[in-house]
């Protein structure tokens, strides 16, 4: 089993920045790709960014890629999401996700599964 704990959410004005962190514990050697999903009110949860164990990254779209940076520190068992130039439409609950080795990033877009954190609220005011 893997436990994930997010931190770093909060309220920020448009144009501001936040950095989310996700600390993994438990059977961390089983973790392959990790990612950040978000769920806005009334919408489905969607993958925002993902990173493989080897450090390959992927972003949901160009807007996210221009403003967000996903990274992970294997020594600290921690994944990060640096979010800059935040917009009101980025408001959502952000969830940390970890998949077992062998699950690819394309699969992370297609199927929601693996281990989840409790979520952290990000609110961007206009």
């Amino acid at each position: 089993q893997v436990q994930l704990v997010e931190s770093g959410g909060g309220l920020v004005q448009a144009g501001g920045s936040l950095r989310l962190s996700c600390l993994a514990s438990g059977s961390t050697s089983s973790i392959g790709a990790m990612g950040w999903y978000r769920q806005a009110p009334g919408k489905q949860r969607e993958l925002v960014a993902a990173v493989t164990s080897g450090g390959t990254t992927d972003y949901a779209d160009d807007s996210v890629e221009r403003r967000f940076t996903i990274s992970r520190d294997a020594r600290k068992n921690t994944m990060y999401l640096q979010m800059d130039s935040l917009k009101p439409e980025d408001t959502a609950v952000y969830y940390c996700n970890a998949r077992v080795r062998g699950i690819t990033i394309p699969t992370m877009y297609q199927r929601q599964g693996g281990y989840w954190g409790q979520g952290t609220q990000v609110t961007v005011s206009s």
Side-chain angles (χ1 to χ4, degrees):
Q1 289 286 342
V2 173
Q3 295 78 43
L4 303 172
V5 177
E6 301 107 332
S7 60
L11 173 63
V12 64
Q13 288 188 329
S17 298
L18 285 173
R19 188 174 84 150
L20 306 183
S21 299
C22 173
L23 174 64
S25 61
S27 302
T28 56
S29 60
S30 68
I31 297 175
M34 298 182 72
W36 290 97
Y37 288 75
R38 69 184 178 188
Q39 186 168 22
K43 295 187 177 182
Q44 291 187 334
R45 187 162 55 184
E46 60 180 6
L47 182 62
V48 175
V51 57
T52 67
S53 57
T56 300
T57 60
D58 192 83
Y59 298 90
D61 55 46
D62 290 342
S63 173
V64 169
E65 187 167 12
R66 284 194 299 269
R67 302 179 296 117
F68 293 6
T69 302
I70 189 170
S71 61
R72 63 194 287 181
D73 185 333
R75 292 173 301 173
K76 296 182 179 180
N77 289 320
T78 302
M79 177 179 63
Y80 305 97
L81 186 67
Q82 176 67 41
M83 303 186 293
D84 300 316
S85 302
L86 282 161
K87 304 176 180 181
E89 50 264 45
D90 295 317
T91 295
V93 178
Y94 284 70
Y95 296 91
C96 173
N97 178 251
R99 304 298 185 106
V100 296
R101 293 183 181 276
I103 299 297
T104 64
I105 289 179
T107 298
M108 294 178 71
Y109 283 105
Q110 297 167 4
R111 293 204 308 264
Q112 299 197 15
Y115 302 98
W116 296 93
Q118 80 284 1
T120 186
Q121 177 70 46
V122 171
T123 303
V124 185
S125 63
S126 57

